[in-house]
Structures are given as structure tokens and as C-alpha cells.
Amino acid sequence: MREEILLSLVLGYFLDLLIGDPHWLYHPIRLVGKLISVLEKGLRFLFPKTEKGELVAGVFLVIFTTGITTAVSAAILYVGFLIHPAVKFVMEVIMCYQLLATRALRDESMKVYEKLKAKDLPGSRYAVSMIVGRDTENLDEAGVTKAAVETVAENTSDGIIAPMLFMMIGGPVLGFFYKSVNTMDSMVGYKNDRYLYLGRAAAKLDDILNYIPARISAWMMICSCFFAGLDAKEAHRIFKRDRYNHASPNSAQTEAVMAGALHVQLAGDAWYFGKLHKKKTIGDPIRAVEYEDIRRANRLLYVTSFLTLLLSGAIRFFI
């Protein structure tokens, strides 16, 4: 069992690097997203539109989403095992591949890079709007670049290291449990009028699940700076100083490392849904941010994911 989980994750990781997330292939996380949307509509209908009513609805949203997602993923593997153990293993590999986003994160952020390199600011704004939650229509070149670099840094943990660690512990079933929570947070975990109460349970659970993975990701990123040609010493200094300069207890962990490694300043005020949100900065403006930083961020992303796979795999194998 231990060796099977490890092998399926390793194969899934390299499958992700090889083919990424083809747009023609319907991704199961999109099904999770549709499930969340359907449940949200139903729960809003059933529960009163009061603070308490929406808080309770949010708890049920978490229970139903995680329960259904986990049960379906476990059932798929069980059916595969009934057919043949080899079929179950192939399904595990595919599920591990689908839960990782290394290639997809690199590809989507590099679309921003290519638009910026071509001096297509409107195109870069649109490209970055596909991977960030903030308003992008008024961003300048530096703002677009920072948004792309920040999402690479944050999703190094959320989209790669965290699911990798959960799968290393409990296989793709636990991985899908994590991704269901993370998807809920990305859809309803906003502090706006619509989701302030209904999304609170999902946001808090996401903070809890990511608490340890975010810190492991940050330390692995610092170590990876040595192999990615970036400044590990400055990455560590900014991490120690600015890792809590964010409303989330987790997001600034990897963003601080990235800012230090690149010698740039990230974060700061941003617009969400037409409202300006005052945010602390992360890092020092040793130099101006430039679109080449997107490539550097992706280099650090790849090295971090590979080293984490090696280290966590070794721990899983020998313990």
C-alpha cells in the first residue's frame, strides 16, 4: 500500500509535467466546482438569509462537498479494484495527475509573460485575470507581473505541495478531500457581502488544512533557491520578516520567500469586485519587478515541486 501510493504519485507528478491540463480534457475539479454551485443554490434556498442562517448553510456546504467528493473518489478506486488491482492502480495514477497543477500553473502564468513580452498590456491583463481573483482591468505592466508572480508563489503551495503532501499520506482520496476544500475557498471564501458568512466555514477549514503545508512549502522554496539560481539568504530573511503580511495566515508564507528570492516587493493594495483592499507589502523593492520574474518564479516552482517530491517520497518510503 505504501509503495503503491508513492509510485502512483510519482507517475502522476511526471504525467502532469508531461501533458499538464489539456483544455479538451474535462477536469474533475470542474465537477467539484459545479457541485459547490448547486449546493450553494440549494442551501441558500433552504436556510434564512441571516447571519446565523448563512453560517449554518456554510457548514453544511463544507460537509456535503467534502463528503460527496471523498465518497465518489473512494468509490471509483473501489470499483477499479473490483475489476482488477491493475485497473485501480491506473486510476490512482490518473487521479494523482489530476490533483497536481505544476504544468498548468507554469503554462497559464507564461501566457501572461508572452503577452507582456509582446507589449500587449490588454492581453496580459486578460491572461492574468484567468489565474487571479483581483480586478485586473486597470493594472499596469508591473501590476500584472506582480499578480502573476504572486499567484505562482501562492499556488506552489495550494496547487502542488499541499495536495502532494495529502496524497503522500492518504493517496488520491485524501487529495480530493483537500482539493474540495481548496476549491470551496476559491469560490466562496471571500469577505464580501455575498460570502462573508456562507463562505466562512470553508475559508477557516482551508486555513487549517494549509497551515502546515504552507510552511513546508516556504522552507522547501528557500532550499530550492540554491538550485534555481536565486537568493536563498534574502528569501529566508524576507520570509522571517514578512510571512504574516497577509490577511490569510498561509498565503504570505510562500509569497515572502518569492519576494526575497527575486529581490522585489510584492502584494500591497489591490482591487477586488470594485473595492480597494488595503494590504501590506511583502519584500523590499531592491529592484523594479519585470516580466522576466515570471520565468524565474516558475523555475523556483519546478525545483520546489521536484525536491518536495523527492524528500516527502523518501520519508514515506522509509517510515
Side-chain angles (χ1 to χ4, degrees):
M1 180 65 178
R2 178 180 59 187
E3 291 79 6
E4 180 180 318
I5 289 176
L6 179 56
L7 182 57
S8 62
L9 178 54
V10 170
L11 292 176
Y13 173 81
F14 283 105
L15 193 60
D16 173 52
L17 293 186
L18 181 64
I19 63 177
D21 184 16
H23 291 289
W24 54 265
L25 185 63
Y26 197 87
H27 202 284
I29 300 303
R30 292 172 62 185
L31 289 176
V32 176
K34 287 194 173 184
L35 172 64
I36 293 168
S37 296
V38 171
L39 289 173
E40 179 190 343
K41 290 179 183 178
L43 290 167
R44 285 189 183 277
F45 177 78
L46 291 173
F47 287 89
K49 294 177 176 59
T50 62
E51 176 181 337
K52 183 178 180 180
E54 292 194 355
L55 285 172
V56 174
V59 172
F60 277 102
L61 177 64
V62 169
I63 293 172
F64 288 141
T65 301
T66 57
I68 293 172
T69 302
T70 304
V72 169
S73 58
I76 290 172
L77 291 180
Y78 179 69
V79 170
F81 177 77
L82 292 178
I83 297 172
H84 194 278
V87 174
K88 173 179 176 287
F89 176 71
V90 170
M91 289 180 172
E92 281 184 330
V93 172
I94 293 173
M95 292 167 76
C96 288
Y97 148 66
Q98 291 172 327
L99 286 167
L100 297 171
T102 313
R103 174 69 181 270
L105 182 56
R106 182 262 180 197
D107 288 350
E108 294 302 313
S109 60
M110 286 303 291
K111 289 178 183 178
V112 182
Y113 169 85
E114 294 297 340
K115 293 295 182 181
L116 288 171
K117 188 176 182 180
K119 306 300 181 183
D120 181 2
L121 183 57
S124 70
R125 287 169 175 165
Y126 176 77
V128 82
S129 73
M130 297 292 102
I131 55 176
V132 301
R134 73 191 66 180
D135 300 342
T136 63
E137 58 268 18
N138 295 316
L139 292 178
D140 58 10
E141 180 177 321
V144 171
T145 303
K146 284 171 59 177
V149 170
E150 288 165 19
T151 200
V152 170
E154 182 177 355
N155 284 288
T156 296
S157 177
D158 290 1
I160 301 151
I161 306 304
M164 184 184 293
L165 295 175
F166 276 95
M167 285 189 284
M168 198 67 76
I169 295 169
V173 174
L174 189 60
F176 268 101
F177 170 81
Y178 167 79
K179 287 300 292 185
S180 69
V181 176
N182 192 241
T183 305
M184 270 190 293
D185 180 60
S186 67
M187 292 179 64
V188 305
Y190 295 101
K191 292 182 179 180
N192 55 23
D193 294 339
R194 180 174 177 81
Y195 292 117
L196 181 60
Y197 301 115
L198 186 135
R200 186 170 298 177
K204 293 298 183 184
L205 182 56
D206 185 73
D207 285 344
I208 293 170
L209 292 182
N210 278 298
Y211 190 85
I212 293 176
R215 285 147 183 82
I216 292 175
S217 299
W219 282 105
M220 291 304 299
M221 284 179 72
I222 292 171
C223 295
S224 299
C225 287
F226 291 104
F227 303 97
L230 299 173
D231 192 339
K233 183 178 179 180
E234 185 68 4
H236 178 259
R237 185 181 75 83
I238 297 299
F239 165 71
K240 297 291 288 184
R241 191 190 74 185
D242 293 350
R243 65 188 185 276
Y244 292 115
N245 285 9
H246 199 285
S248 163
N250 303 320
S251 295
Q253 303 289 321
T254 49
E255 286 186 33
V257 176
M258 186 68 77
L262 297 177
H263 295 172
V264 299
Q265 188 173 80
L266 300 176
D269 298 348
W271 290 83
Y272 294 86
F273 304 104
K275 293 183 179 180
L276 178 63
H277 289 247
K278 306 295 289 184
K279 301 169 67 176
K280 295 180 180 179
T281 57
I282 298 173
D284 293 328
I286 298 174
R287 62 171 179 82
V289 68
E290 58 186 20
Y291 60 78
E292 284 295 331
D293 288 321
I294 299 175
R295 292 183 63 184
R296 297 179 184 117
N298 278 307
R299 188 164 72 242
L300 185 56
L301 155 71
Y302 266 59
V303 176
T304 301
S305 68
F306 184 68
L307 287 184
T308 305
L309 180 69
L310 287 179
L311 180 60
S312 59
I315 294 173
R316 173 73 185 183
F317 184 79
F318 289 108
I319 293 181

